[in-house]
Amino acid sequence: MAAIKLESCTFALFGALGDLALRKLFPALYQLDRAGLLHDDTRILALAREAGEPQRHLAAIDQALRLHVPAKELEEGALARFQARLHYLTMDFLQAEDYLALAELAGAQDQLIAYFATPASVYGGICANLAALGLAERSRVVLEKPIGHDLASSRAVNDAVARVFPENRVYRIDHYLGKETVQNLIALRFANSLFETQWNQNHISHVEITVAEKVGIEGRWGYFDQAGQLRDMIQNHLLQLLCLIAMDPPSDLSADSIRDEKVKVLKALEPISAEHLGQRVVRGQYVAGSADGRPVPGYLEEENSNTQSDTETFVALRADIRNWRWAGVPFYLRTGKRMPQKLSQIVIHFKAPPHYIFAPEQRQLIGNKLIIRLQPDEGIALQVLTKDQGLDKGMQLRSGPLQLSFSDTYRSARIPDAYERLLLEVMRGNQNLFVRKDEIEYAWQWCDQLIAGWKQLGEAPKPYTAGSWGPMASVALITRDGRSWYGDL
Ligand code: BG6
């Protein structure tokens, strides 16, 4: 691993005392350092508006590392090395004069990586201030989601950034793209000709993408209530997964070749008009129920909540892609908070053989499934039918997996967190796991028409009990097409 040691850089983390930085970004940087990947001269600048003794804020970062890095990966030597790279700076990100100290700390090093873990409303201001001090020419900027809350506001943010930075120095994060199994989709599809010949409407009947979370709002009511599950999860993570499943093979692995193919998919998504929303999209909101056997409050009873809110915490929908490869193949997307388990998986359902010769009562077993498990238990399984063993069995069919479990196969290797991969790729200057401006915009365009339809209909989200798989209407959405959600208990 040390063979790919990176060039030295200054990593400037804006919003360094926020939840994302403390929970994900510092632990990810620490892991890169522990793996010997960071150059000896790389420094990390923790930038936040909180005033006071830097030592106090550095201690908070240290505490966060000890909390969020697994105990067996906390090595005192590595921690000390990491801490020696860290500097804390109090800044108002919109005040130009506050950037002088940053410029001084950044020194004359070649590369500045500016990571914006702040509200998107200040991205433009930070860019302008970096430019004013002449820091922009040697910077890459990393933008966290959400970038806007609709097409118009996301354009405004992207345009403000683009006034300073060309697209090839802008890295938009969708942390799902950094997950190991998500990257494996590219390998699975394009390194195995076995699948590509089957990867179309002749052989695939439908696709399911489920991203379920057991947690509720986790103290983020203020943010979440403005967003809702469609903006928070579908607009980015689930549509990105859909793109990776549905895209045509790119001509090479370069960022733009991959992103060009993803954009074609987004452009081909069929809009869903208000009159079809009832059949094609389900919005839900959880009410009190249970998690891990303990009672939990409903969305409207969470801390700091507003009892009138009709924000959705669950969405299930049927998306159709208008092209030759996917005509007539529905993509069923489903995501929600307070589901029975944390589970992200994609299930590709293959069509049944054209002529059936086995016992009639076994017919429902027919049809191969490729199950791609992103979390937990990362792995890939292909459900195939074989004959049951034993003299008494005759030609009795059994569905079983041809299985690749990443944790069993690569037992010794730890699975890196998505942010480790993404930060590493920013430092390498590789954009292919980041989202281009036009991808974000087409994704917003598709989501905006759903939101407009909801507004027009004015219906409240359907209640579902915390700890269930969502409203009954979500089951009806798929059974109406003669199908069911894979593996629901
Ligand atoms: C974030 C959303 O992008 O993804 C959160 O804002 C969500 O609401 C999170 O909880 C889920 O990510 P993961 O990696 O835990 O599946």
Side-chain angles (χ1 to χ4, degrees):
M1 254 195 159
I4 54 164
K5 201 156 184 149
L6 301 155
E7 305 271 288
S8 85
C9 68
T10 298
F11 189 95
L13 178 44
F14 292 79
L17 296 179
D19 184 58
L20 177 76
L22 295 176
R23 234 167 14 93
K24 292 286 186 183
L25 303 177
F26 284 116
L29 287 164
Y30 162 79
Q31 294 285 11
L32 295 181
D33 198 6
R34 187 173 82 99
L37 292 166
L38 299 189
H39 191 283
D40 294 345
D41 296 336
T42 288
R43 10 162 134 202
I44 299 169
L45 311 185
L47 313 173
R49 47 172 61 240
E50 281 79 351
E53 266 305 297
Q55 282 316 321
R56 185 160 61 85
H57 302 305
L58 292 171
I61 295 170
D62 182 56
Q63 216 176 348
L65 282 177
R66 291 175 193 276
L67 188 66
H68 298 295
V69 174
K72 65 176 191 309
E73 293 164 16
L74 282 171
E75 294 163 14
E76 288 307 325
L79 276 171
R81 186 171 67 227
F82 185 71
Q83 258 131 25
R85 299 178 185 280
L86 268 180
H87 304 265
Y88 179 86
L89 209 56
T90 301
M91 277 180 78
D92 176 341
F93 301 146
L94 297 179
Q95 287 303 322
E97 54 280 13
D98 285 11
Y99 285 71
L100 290 170
L102 166 61
E104 202 167 307
L105 272 175
Q109 291 199 54
D110 316 344
Q111 191 69 57
L112 178 71
I113 295 177
Y115 194 115
F116 302 168
T118 67
S121 51
V122 296
Y123 291 177
I126 301 179
C127 291
N129 283 324
L130 289 173
L133 274 186
L135 289 170
E137 285 74 35
R138 58 182 171 107
S139 302
R140 296 178 189 146
V141 285
V142 189
L143 314 186
E144 255 303 332
K145 78 173 250 289
I147 298 180
H149 59 272
D150 58 10
L151 176 60
S153 54
S154 84
R155 270 205 182 131
V157 174
N158 281 324
D159 289 351
V161 173
R163 280 196 273 282
V164 176
F165 291 99
E167 185 64 26
N168 66 5
R169 284 196 278 132
V170 181
Y171 293 71
R172 292 183 196 78
I173 295 263
D174 182 315
H175 78 277
Y176 266 60
L177 296 180
K179 290 186 190 276
E180 281 286 303
T181 317
V182 177
Q183 293 163 64
N184 241 314
L185 283 175
I186 302 256
L188 181 76
R189 285 198 56 202
F190 306 126
N192 299 287
S193 55
L194 173 70
F195 293 114
E196 181 51 25
T197 52
Q198 308 291 307
W199 213 255
N200 55 51
Q201 45 86 20
N202 292 325
H203 302 283
I204 291 178
S205 73
H206 63 290
V207 176
E208 285 177 52
I209 304 178
T210 291
V211 177
E213 290 182 86
K214 193 147 68 166
V215 293
I217 297 308
E218 305 255 272
R220 294 193 308 153
W221 215 89
Y223 154 73
F224 187 85
D225 198 58
Q226 296 299 311
Q229 197 72 359
L230 184 85
R231 291 185 173 100
D232 190 46
M233 299 294 287
I234 301 253
Q235 189 273 340
N236 35 74
H237 308 321
L238 279 91
L239 286 183
Q240 283 292 327
L241 296 178
L242 176 145
C243 285
L244 290 171
I245 294 293
M247 72 191 211
D248 277 352
S251 55
D252 54 48
L253 266 186
S254 71
D256 275 334
S257 297
I258 293 176
R259 299 191 292 184
D260 286 347
E261 297 305 334
K262 288 198 283 170
V263 163
K264 286 187 205 158
V265 174
L266 292 167
K267 284 167 82 171
L269 280 175
E270 186 175 280
I272 307 177
S273 63
E275 69 181 294
H276 293 118
L277 272 183
Q279 299 283 307
R280 301 266 302 270
V281 187
V282 176
R283 293 173 80 214
Q285 189 186 71
Y286 63 85
V287 297
S290 63
D292 294 324
R294 280 179 299 103
V296 292
Y299 178 68
L300 300 182
E301 295 130 26
E302 296 278 10
E303 203 186 329
N304 301 325
S305 65
N306 160 359
T307 52
Q308 300 298 311
S309 170
D310 67 354
T311 296
E312 78 286 349
T313 59
F314 174 94
V315 178
L317 59 84
R318 171 188 160 146
D320 287 83
I321 301 171
R322 296 170 301 180
N323 64 20
W324 277 46
R325 189 189 281 268
W326 297 114
V329 181
F331 282 66
Y332 298 100
L333 273 48
R334 172 174 70 155
T335 178
K337 310 280 184 219
R338 283 283 183 232
M339 309 260 90
Q341 63 185 109
K342 181 160 179 76
L343 169 74
S344 300
Q345 87 181 359
I346 301 169
V347 185
I348 316 279
H349 295 260
F350 290 90
K351 287 185 172 167
H355 178 58
Y356 181 75
I357 57 173
F358 300 94
E361 64 275 14
Q362 297 207 289
R363 202 173 188 128
Q364 84 285 354
L365 285 178
I366 288 287
N368 302 116
K369 295 169 201 60
L370 179 66
I371 300 157
I372 300 156
R373 183 71 91 93
L374 312 184
Q375 58 191 24
D377 308 329
E378 290 86 345
I380 295 169
L382 180 63
Q383 290 285 345
V384 293
L385 287 147
T386 51
K387 187 194 102 45
D388 222 349
Q389 300 293 314
L391 285 175
D392 56 331
K393 291 294 178 5
M395 189 49 83
Q396 208 162 309
L397 298 178
R398 175 185 284 267
S399 175
L402 292 178
Q403 186 138 324
L404 174 64
S405 154
F406 295 151
S407 53
D408 291 349
T409 311
Y410 310 107
R411 214 177 275 275
S412 59
R414 75 174 261 283
I415 296 181
D417 183 76
Y419 278 98
E420 292 170 42
R421 162 65 57 193
L422 295 174
L423 293 179
L424 186 62
E425 298 306 325
V426 179
M427 291 179 189
R428 283 183 178 154
N430 175 10
Q431 283 186 304
N432 69 20
L433 297 178
F434 298 86
V435 185
R436 206 168 58 190
K437 177 171 181 274
D438 50 351
E439 285 179 75
I440 300 242
E441 295 188 355
Y442 282 112
W444 272 125
Q445 195 171 318
W446 193 73
C447 289
D448 279 0
Q449 45 97 34
L450 298 180
I451 295 167
W454 285 340
K455 268 207 184 123
Q456 189 181 325
L457 298 178
E459 282 172 12
K462 298 190 165 40
Y464 63 96
T465 309
S468 73
W469 283 106
M472 281 313 289
S474 152
V475 177
L477 171 93
I478 191 164
T479 49
R480 202 176 291 128
D481 294 343
R483 297 166 176 139
S484 56
W485 293 107
Y486 177 79
D488 277 13
L489 303 173

